[in-house]
Amino acid sequence: MLFMTTEAHEALRKKIRAFAEEKIKPIAFRLDQNNEFPDEIVKEIGANGWMGLPYPKEYGGAGLDVLSYAIAVEELSRVDGGVGVILSAHVSLGSYPIAAFGNEKQKEKYLRPLASGKKIGAFGLTEENAGSDAGGTETTAVDKGDHYLLNGGKIFITNAPKADIYVVFAVTTPDIGTKGISAFIVEKGWKGFEFGDHYDKLGIRSSTTAELIFNNVKVPKENLLGKEGQGFKIAMATLDGGRIGIASQALGIAQGAYESALDYAKERHQFGDPIGINQGISFKLADMATKLRASRYLIYSAAELKEHHESYSMEAAMAKMYASDVAMEITNDALQIFGGSGFLKGMDVERAYRDAKITTIYEGTNEIQRVVIAAHLLGKLGKSHSESRSVAKKPAPITGIRKTKIFSDGNAKEQVETLVATLKQDGYDFSVGIPADTPIALAERVVSAGKGIGAKENMRLIEDLAAAAGAAVGSSRPVAETLQYVPIERYVGMSGQKFTGNLYIACGISGAKQHLKGIKDASTIVAINKNGNAPIFKNCDYGIIGDVNEILPLLADALGREKKKAAPPMVKMKRPLPPKPEPIGPRYVCSGCGYEYVPELGDEDADIAPGTLFDKLPEDWVCPECAEGKDHFIKE
């Protein structure tokens, strides 16, 4: 047992390392600085046959083993972690489900161009409410006879929007949990399939990461991957293999940082000697080298188990967890060895330090990896979490329980008139107003612009509506930061200004989580967007689905364009109560303060989803008003 790779493996390593040093290293800083996808590099990787390393030659692949693929990701990541994950996401996530679960027709149509590098693949599983818990999937695919109608969205999708082929997971049978999820092959360019912004990330900035948006996308029946209800099984099997890729990425990032630190420790002199002669530095290097070796053996072992069709789920989780954890330690120590120089932009160790962090998060957080490992060690000791929870539960909207009344009757003008009449009935006086530049945190009303308003000249629509509504002007983060339509201090969101006033009118805003968390304390939220599946509509009180270019002028007219009187000091309005849901179980009252627990509403602040019965509440749940325990509640 020499624990050695073959000559062929090392020849491949040498070839890919030379490619990375020659082609990627000279531009790595630019890619990172500009958040830029390396289109030409990826084409060359494909031309070299590396995009399909572990897939059969009959489908356009290289016909090599899983270990060869792991080495490829490792060597690319050694120079640039972003380029490494482009290959990893393409091979492990975008291509593997089709190779493992696709029929011959699907393999010929989709796997062949993926494995040959002519097209790029991606994997669409993660959603706002389905991260570590894939059972929370809300994207739907409704059977329409000759096709499925796909609606919803995915977030944090690696290789989007550059990828051509996406494996997407959606609910085909609601209310039965993970057994109702199916997998589909979806092509870029299909009508209704759009992309959100390319995320501006901390690290791996040469890889693209974006949101997928599905609005009545017709998916042919033949693009169902496997059978209906097999989606969760396909996703979990794919993630097992994907963890080998992410572990290899972490290893490569750490290896590159270690080599830089080792060279620097030999070159940098202090007190007349290389700094590596100091025990504090030499011991760091010794620990780094040991962790790298341990990571490499864990990864290569998992790869060989997968190659020989042995069980490898636990070993892949171990490799991913350990390699990514120690990548954080190694890159931290490497930067420390460089001292102040390592803290500067443009230094490889600085970029590696940032790149390493994501490897502890995606493909299942390291907390989830420990759950996976423990489950293999302990087996099924009792009722699993997934079995004990009610599959019918839906997470509460980010902004809390809202009326979610979407005006759709009549034409656009009639819908606007109904909205204005409803707002006036709720107590809003549009004869008064505040200055458009009122600070967001102090504003009683805000009209906010999202990217959906289009060109900068359309900001006039926002300004006119704000004047008619007697409101201040706000925006989403991209409008202020990327498009620079408004000053940076006017964007609303979790990382920006919080709006806690009465009326918030979101125009062309899709409703990303960070934005919604910035408006959750608004008394009334109004949404206007052309995409009826935008998350904003699940988080608003009133909404109109339509083009902002048509709706906003009509709304300004209906509110009245006359000059507004100065508004009196703001009085916080109570939220209009949503219609009472149908009772699903008994209600319980706290004997300490009289608080009533309503199962139809749940407890938003404690992350208790609507539909949670009192006897299903966690044992450590307490009254949100007085903190009494469950045993102090009395059944009504």
Side-chain angles (χ1 to χ4, degrees):
M1 296 176 69
L2 296 177
F3 297 102
M4 291 177 65
T5 51
T6 66
E7 289 184 8
H9 287 137
E10 291 309 312
L12 178 68
R13 183 194 303 278
K14 184 178 180 181
K15 187 175 181 181
I16 296 176
R17 180 172 291 200
F19 173 84
E21 289 284 342
E22 179 185 347
K23 299 293 182 72
I24 302 173
K25 192 165 188 175
I27 63 170
F29 174 67
R30 188 195 80 205
L31 298 176
D32 177 72
Q33 189 176 42
N34 298 337
N35 212 10
E36 178 184 342
F37 187 85
D39 293 282
E40 295 305 315
I41 293 293
V42 174
K43 287 179 183 177
E44 288 193 58
I45 291 173
N48 286 330
W50 300 332
M51 295 290 269
L53 279 169
Y55 298 118
K57 291 182 179 180
E58 63 185 285
Y59 294 116
L64 300 181
D65 59 7
V66 179
L67 182 51
S68 297
Y69 155 65
I71 289 170
V73 175
E74 176 189 344
E75 289 301 323
L76 293 175
S77 301
R78 174 181 163 274
V79 170
D80 186 342
V83 177
V85 81
I86 292 170
L87 180 65
S88 177
H90 167 85
V91 173
S92 292
L93 303 182
S95 304
Y96 175 80
I98 301 172
F101 298 95
N103 55 42
E104 285 303 311
K105 187 176 179 181
Q106 290 170 337
K107 290 179 183 178
E108 188 63 36
K109 183 176 181 180
Y110 294 112
L111 181 58
R112 180 173 294 280
L114 288 170
S116 62
K118 293 178 180 177
K119 292 189 176 180
I120 302 173
F123 181 82
L125 178 64
T126 304
E127 300 181 11
E128 292 284 4
N129 294 311
S132 296
D133 179 9
T137 298
E138 294 176 335
T139 296
T140 60
V142 178
D143 190 338
K144 292 294 184 178
D146 63 340
H147 67 275
Y148 291 92
L149 205 58
L150 186 65
N151 280 287
K154 302 291 179 178
I155 60 172
F156 305 145
I157 306 305
T158 304
N159 285 351
K162 293 290 185 176
D164 308 285
I165 299 166
Y166 297 78
V167 176
V168 176
F169 298 84
V171 174
T172 47
T173 305
D175 300 329
I176 62 171
T178 56
K179 294 179 181 178
I181 298 174
S182 302
F184 300 89
I185 304 171
V186 181
E187 297 180 35
K188 181 166 71 173
W190 284 356
K191 185 178 179 181
F193 180 15
E194 299 177 352
F195 301 95
D197 294 328
H198 169 33
Y199 297 113
D200 190 8
K201 307 185 295 290
L202 171 72
I204 59 166
R205 291 168 59 81
S206 57
S207 77
T208 54
T209 313
E211 178 185 3
L212 311 183
I213 302 167
F214 306 110
N215 191 6
N216 289 329
V217 178
K218 289 184 178 180
V219 181
K221 276 291 181 70
E222 59 264 27
N223 279 47
L224 173 68
L225 190 58
K227 297 178 181 179
E228 274 199 15
Q230 287 188 336
F232 185 74
K233 170 188 170 184
I234 292 172
M236 294 303 104
T238 301
L239 290 175
D240 278 344
R243 286 163 187 157
I244 295 174
I246 299 308
S248 300
Q249 181 200 15
L251 172 60
I253 293 169
Q255 181 72 38
Y258 161 75
E259 290 176 8
S260 294
L262 181 62
D263 289 342
Y264 189 77
K266 297 174 182 176
E267 297 166 2
R268 169 73 165 162
H269 283 67
Q270 288 288 278
F271 307 107
D273 289 307
I275 61 172
I277 202 172
N278 294 303
Q279 193 177 79
I281 301 297
S282 64
F283 279 16
K284 281 185 187 298
L285 292 165
D287 287 343
M288 293 159 77
T290 303
K291 291 170 184 175
L292 286 168
R293 190 169 177 85
S295 296
R296 187 166 284 110
Y297 284 146
L298 277 170
I299 296 164
Y300 290 7
S301 170
E304 288 201 325
L305 287 171
K306 185 176 190 296
E307 179 65 27
H308 290 90
H309 307 290
E310 300 287 343
S311 175
Y312 70 95
S313 177
M314 181 179 74
E315 289 78 6
M318 286 177 170
K320 191 270 184 188
M321 177 193 74
Y322 182 79
S324 58
D325 275 347
V326 300
M328 288 295 297
E329 297 169 7
I330 291 168
T331 54
N332 180 63
D333 284 344
L335 197 152
Q336 188 71 21
I337 289 171
F338 270 82
S341 298
F343 198 67
L344 300 177
K345 288 287 184 183
M347 299 297 291
D348 290 345
V349 290
E350 182 270 339
R351 176 162 45 84
Y353 181 79
R354 289 184 287 107
D355 285 351
K357 181 56 195 172
I358 189 61
T359 64
T360 70
I361 297 173
Y362 55 17
E363 297 297 301
T365 65
N366 282 4
E367 289 77 12
I368 290 296
Q369 301 314 308
R370 287 171 169 86
V371 171
V372 171
I373 296 165
H376 279 276
L377 298 175
L378 297 171
K380 188 175 180 180
L381 297 179
K383 216 173 193 181
S384 73
H385 175 69
S386 60
E387 290 174 324
S388 64
R389 72 181 182 183
S390 167
V391 296
K393 289 181 190 175
K394 296 293 182 184
I398 294 170
T399 58
I401 303 300
R402 294 281 169 175
K403 294 176 75 71
T404 58
K405 172 65 177 174
I406 309 301
F407 300 110
S408 56
D409 294 336
N411 57 34
K413 184 176 180 182
E414 291 168 335
Q415 292 169 13
V416 165
E417 288 173 349
T418 304
L419 169 61
V420 173
T422 303
L423 290 172
K424 288 180 177 178
Q425 187 177 351
D426 286 346
Y428 287 101
D429 178 5
F430 295 108
S431 67
V432 300
I434 60 176
D437 61 353
T438 301
I440 300 296
L442 302 177
E444 191 256 342
R445 304 171 190 175
V446 166
V447 172
S448 211
K451 286 191 71 177
I453 67 164
K456 187 172 185 178
E457 53 262 29
N458 289 342
M459 279 301 296
R460 173 57 60 184
L461 300 176
I462 298 294
E463 293 163 0
D464 289 348
L465 179 57
V473 171
S475 80
S476 65
R477 179 172 177 170
V479 169
E481 186 176 66
T482 307
L483 299 178
Q484 298 181 352
Y485 289 176
V486 298
I488 194 71
E489 68 270 12
R490 300 215 67 80
Y491 89 76
V492 184
M494 179 171 60
S495 60
Q497 303 298 314
K498 307 290 193 302
F499 176 74
T500 58
N502 289 328
L503 179 61
Y504 190 81
I505 304 178
C507 307
I509 292 174
S510 65
K513 184 196 301 186
Q514 79 91 16
H515 187 85
L516 294 172
K517 286 194 172 183
I519 62 174
K520 64 185 181 67
D521 293 321
S523 298
T524 305
I525 298 173
V526 175
I528 301 166
N529 197 296
K530 69 177 182 179
N531 178 12
N533 291 310
I536 190 73
F537 287 116
K538 295 179 182 177
N539 288 272
C540 72
D541 295 288
Y542 307 118
I544 295 177
I545 300 171
D547 189 336
V548 293
N549 291 284
E550 178 185 15
I551 301 298
L552 299 196
L554 291 173
L555 184 53
D557 289 341
L559 291 172
R561 295 180 182 266
E562 73 280 355
K563 187 176 180 180
K564 309 297 179 181
K565 296 178 289 185
M570 182 178 73
V571 176
K572 181 68 173 174
M573 298 173 67
K574 290 185 177 180
R575 270 190 209 169
L577 292 175
K580 283 190 176 181
E582 290 293 322
I584 62 170
R587 299 184 178 187
Y588 285 73
V589 177
C590 177
S591 60
C593 67
Y595 167 82
E596 180 184 43
Y597 176 76
V598 181
E600 300 82 53
L601 301 180
D603 180 3
E604 173 198 352
D605 293 333
D607 291 327
I608 304 298
T612 305
L613 297 176
F614 185 82
D615 60 2
K616 297 294 184 183
L617 290 171
E619 287 305 313
D620 59 354
W621 180 83
V622 296
C623 174
E625 298 292 338
C626 68
E628 290 283 8
K630 283 179 65 179
D631 56 343
H632 285 263
F633 277 71
I634 302 169
K635 185 177 179 180
E636 277 192 333

